[in-house]
Amino acid sequence: MRQPPGFVDPQQPDSVCKLHKSLYGLKQAPRQWFNKLTTFLQLQGFGFSRSDPSLLIFHKNHIQIYFLIYVDDFLVTGNDCFTINHILGQLQEQFALKKLGQISLFLGIQVIRSSTGYFLTQEHYASKILHDAGYADCKPAPTPLATNSKTAQTSTAPFHDPTLYRKLAGSLQYLSITRPDIAFATNTVCQHMQNPTDQDFKTLKRILHYVKGTITYGFPITTGPLELRAYTDADWASDASDRKSISGFCTFLGPNLISWTVKKQATVAKCSTEAEYRSLSSALSDVIWLRRLAEELQIPQPNPTIIHCDNTSAIAIAKNPVFHARTKHIEIDYHFIRQHINSNTVRLSHISSNDQIADILTKPFSFTRFNELRTKLNIRPSNA
C-alpha cells in the first residue's frame, strides 16, 4: 500500500491511510461486502445453510424465506410476500439496491414463467457466443460430437489462437449450466486448453454448430413428486491419450433435472467395474449433499434415494463385503458406499444400458440415440 500523491506526511513518509470502509476493487472488498450483508440478514433472523454458505434461510411461524447470494446479485423467494417486502425494505435502508421484481434473468440465465412452472434457458448467452466467434450464420449440426471423436488423435499443428480457443471453451462451459446435452462435449474440449491443436478447434466448432441448431433449448422446472433419484455411468479407458475413464451422473428431483457432472477420473481404472464403482462413489457424494440441502428446504427425503447403475458387478461389490486382490485399492470408496447403503440413505438399483440416462454424459452417440437421451433429460426448446 502507498499513499496517493499529495497525501504523503513528510513527518511519517512510510505511513498509509487507515480505511474506514473497503474500497471497490481491493481483494478485501468482496469479503467485507459479504460479511456486512450476511451480518445484517442474521440480525433479521436468517441463518446460514449447512449445505451452501451462500444460502441464508429464514424459518419462523410457518414463514419460509430463502436468500441466495452471488457476489452483489441475489435471489429472494419464500411463501410470505409481506415479510419478503418488509425485509427488502430494510435492506434498501442499509444498501443501495435495485428491486427488479419477478425473476426473468439471473447471471445470464433466462427464467421464463408458464402456467406449469418455469423454463431455464441461456438463449441470449448462446447467441452472444456464436456472434463473438463469428458463427452466427453457421449451419447446425445434429449432435455436439461426432461418433468417431473417441479415436486416438493424430498429431496436428497447434491452433494459431489459443486465447480464442480458451475463451470459447470457457463460454461453452458456462452455457452447460442449462445445457447438460453439451456437457460431455465441452468437457472434452476443455481438456486441451493448455495446448490446443487445429483438430481440437475443429471439435469445438462442431459444438458451436450444434448450439446454433438448438439455441432455444433449456430445461423446465415443473411441479410433481419431490423424490430424489440419480443415474450414474462411466466409460472405461475412454481417453486414448492416457486411458483414464470418464464419470458421469445426473440427479432428478421428481421430474426436474437439478444436478449433473461430467469428469475424467483421477486415476486409471484396471477394469470397467472399477470405473463404474468410482463413478458410483462420486454420485453418492452428490446425493448425500442434495439430501441435506433438500431437508433444509423443507423437502425431506424419508425414503432411500435410488441410484440407478447399469453395472451389476459394481453393485455387487457395494453390497457384498468380500475383498480380493482386485478390490483392495478401492477399499475406502467401498466403505463409503457400504455405510450409506446400510443406513438406508441410498439404494442401488440395476438399470439396463438402454435406459441409462447418464450415458449422454460419458460418450458421443449417433443422432437417434443422442436425441432419445436428450429427451429423457427433459432438454427441449422453450416453445415445445
Side-chain angles (χ1 to χ4, degrees):
M1 297 288 292
R2 295 190 303 272
Q3 286 278 32
F7 286 84
V8 177
D9 186 350
Q11 304 299 324
Q12 297 175 317
D14 296 328
S15 297
V16 295
C17 292
K18 179 181 178 181
L19 299 178
H20 293 290
K21 58 186 292 188
S22 56
L23 296 180
Y24 189 83
L26 297 182
K27 290 184 178 180
Q28 304 97 320
R31 183 184 183 92
Q32 293 302 322
W33 153 253
F34 185 79
N35 285 340
K36 185 175 181 180
L37 177 61
T38 55
T39 299
F40 175 80
L41 290 173
Q42 287 176 292
L43 292 175
Q44 306 303 313
F46 282 85
F48 278 103
S49 163
R50 293 177 300 147
S51 307
D52 188 341
S54 62
L55 175 65
L56 287 95
I57 301 173
F58 179 92
H59 285 313
K60 187 176 181 181
N61 299 330
H62 304 291
I63 297 174
Q64 303 169 18
I65 300 174
Y66 304 100
F67 201 103
L68 184 64
I69 304 170
Y70 185 88
V71 191
D72 58 352
D73 294 308
F74 47 80
L75 285 174
V76 185
T77 187
N79 62 356
D80 190 292
C81 292
F82 176 80
T83 305
I84 291 175
N85 289 328
H86 175 69
I87 292 173
L88 290 179
Q90 291 184 314
L91 269 174
Q92 286 179 315
E93 294 177 2
Q94 300 289 327
F95 307 96
L97 302 179
K98 259 188 214 176
K99 187 177 175 184
L100 300 179
Q102 294 289 339
I103 183 172
S104 60
L105 184 69
F106 186 69
L107 304 178
I109 302 172
Q110 296 168 252
V111 183
I112 303 172
R113 301 188 69 184
S114 67
S115 57
T116 57
Y118 297 90
F119 188 85
L120 305 184
T121 179
Q122 290 172 280
E123 182 178 350
H124 290 332
Y125 186 70
S127 299
K128 184 178 183 299
I129 295 174
L130 294 172
H131 180 269
D132 292 346
Y135 287 84
D137 298 319
C138 66
K139 292 182 179 179
T143 60
L145 277 182
T147 53
N148 61 352
S149 61
K150 286 174 57 177
T151 57
Q153 178 178 301
T154 57
S155 179
T156 61
F159 183 57
H160 69 279
D161 191 353
T163 301
L164 173 64
Y165 182 93
R166 295 173 190 130
K167 176 183 177 183
L168 293 175
S171 297
L172 288 172
Q173 198 169 38
Y174 191 74
L175 181 62
S176 66
I177 289 177
T178 59
R179 297 294 302 274
D181 51 328
I182 67 168
F184 172 70
T186 301
N187 177 270
T188 301
V189 298
C190 284
Q191 292 178 29
H192 305 281
M193 284 202 287
Q194 184 175 2
N195 297 303
T197 64
D198 288 338
Q199 180 61 38
D200 295 328
F201 188 69
K202 185 177 179 181
T203 303
L204 189 149
K205 285 197 300 182
R206 169 75 180 233
I207 305 176
L208 295 176
H209 284 265
Y210 172 74
V211 170
K212 171 64 178 179
T214 58
I215 199 166
T216 62
Y217 278 48
F219 61 87
I221 298 177
T222 57
T223 57
L226 296 177
E227 285 189 354
L228 288 168
R229 71 183 194 279
Y231 298 82
T232 176
D233 192 35
D235 193 15
W236 178 51
S238 60
D239 194 315
S241 62
D242 58 14
R243 289 304 174 188
K244 291 182 179 178
S245 307
I246 298 292
S247 294
F249 57 86
C250 56
T251 309
F252 290 79
L253 181 63
N256 305 305
L257 178 67
I258 60 171
S259 175
W260 59 90
T261 294
V262 179
K263 189 175 182 180
K264 181 189 284 191
Q265 294 183 4
T267 57
V268 177
K270 292 184 176 180
C271 59
S272 60
T273 298
E274 181 185 342
E276 295 275 1
Y277 195 70
R278 293 189 183 280
S279 181
L280 180 60
S281 176
S282 299
L284 177 57
S285 298
D286 191 63
V287 164
I288 292 170
W289 176 75
L290 287 172
R291 284 176 63 93
R292 189 182 306 124
L293 179 61
E295 184 177 355
E296 290 186 313
L297 298 177
Q298 306 297 305
I299 313 173
Q301 302 293 308
N303 300 318
T305 299
I306 299 176
I307 301 179
H308 299 279
C309 177
D310 61 4
N311 189 287
T312 54
S313 298
I315 295 175
I317 292 174
K319 292 182 177 180
N320 185 11
V322 175
F323 282 115
H324 47 74
R326 293 185 180 179
T327 60
K328 284 181 179 178
H329 58 293
I330 54 175
E331 183 175 353
I332 294 176
D333 286 334
Y334 162 82
H335 282 302
F336 172 70
I337 297 174
R338 178 77 177 171
Q339 174 186 349
H340 290 286
I341 292 176
N342 289 339
S343 63
N344 280 331
T345 302
V346 298
R347 180 164 62 87
L348 303 185
S349 175
H350 180 258
I351 190 173
S352 69
S353 297
N354 190 53
D355 297 324
Q356 178 57 272
I357 301 177
D359 254 359
I360 197 174
L361 303 173
T362 60
K363 56 184 78 72
F365 288 102
S366 64
F367 172 72
T368 303
R369 177 61 174 161
F370 180 82
N371 188 51
E372 177 187 355
L373 292 172
R374 184 178 64 187
T375 302
K376 289 181 178 180
L377 278 177
N378 283 338
I379 307 301
R380 59 174 177 81
S382 57
N383 56 1

